[in-house]
Amino acid sequence: QVQLVESGGGLVQPGESLRLSCGFSGRIFNIYVMAWYRQAPGKQREMVARISNEGNTNYVDSVRGRFTISRDNVKKTVYLQMNSLKPEDTAVYYCYANYLRDYWGQGTQVTVTS
């Protein structure tokens, strides 16, 4: 049984930074593909960043160069470092894991406003 627990969301001003964390409970974390998705009000959920079990990363164009996804296989944690935040980054951010099936966290709210 896999459980994902996000933390690190909050309210920030444009240009500031946040780091999201996702704790993974379950066995053999390092075989899972991990990702962060987000869903803004009235919009579809979109993939923000993805990291493979080998550490290869992908980003949606709107965050490339500002966000960095990383993983710590010892701590069983995936991170999303978000810099130069913009109001359009406001959304609920979800942690995602995949190995044979999908797993989702409960989400953490990120609000960027002046």
Side-chain angles (χ1 to χ4, degrees):
Q1 183 74 12
V2 171
Q3 290 187 324
L4 305 173
V5 179
E6 303 98 334
S7 62
L11 174 66
V12 296
Q13 294 187 341
E16 294 185 339
S17 299
L18 279 175
R19 188 176 81 156
L20 305 183
S21 300
C22 173
F24 173 101
S25 65
R27 297 189 295 175
I28 319 177
F29 170 73
N30 60 349
I31 65 174
Y32 283 76
V33 172
M34 303 297 297
W36 288 95
Y37 282 71
R38 67 185 178 188
Q39 187 165 21
K43 295 188 176 181
Q44 289 190 330
R45 191 174 296 189
E46 66 169 352
M47 191 203 76
V48 176
R50 173 187 179 276
I51 185 165
S52 73
N53 57 334
E54 297 177 339
N56 298 314
T57 58
N58 299 95
Y59 300 90
V60 68
D61 287 346
S62 60
V63 309
R64 189 173 291 112
R66 299 188 297 122
F67 291 11
T68 303
I69 189 171
S70 61
R71 65 191 296 161
D72 185 327
N73 289 338
V74 173
K75 294 182 178 179
K76 295 186 179 180
T77 302
V78 63
Y79 304 97
L80 185 67
Q81 178 66 43
M82 306 186 293
N83 298 330
S84 302
L85 281 160
K86 303 176 180 181
E88 51 263 44
D89 295 317
T90 295
V92 178
Y93 284 70
Y94 296 91
C95 183
Y96 165 90
N98 177 273
Y99 178 71
L100 301 181
R101 57 157 286 187
D102 297 337
Y103 299 89
W104 293 93
Q106 299 277 20
T108 185
Q109 176 70 45
V110 172
T111 303
V112 185
T113 181
S114 55

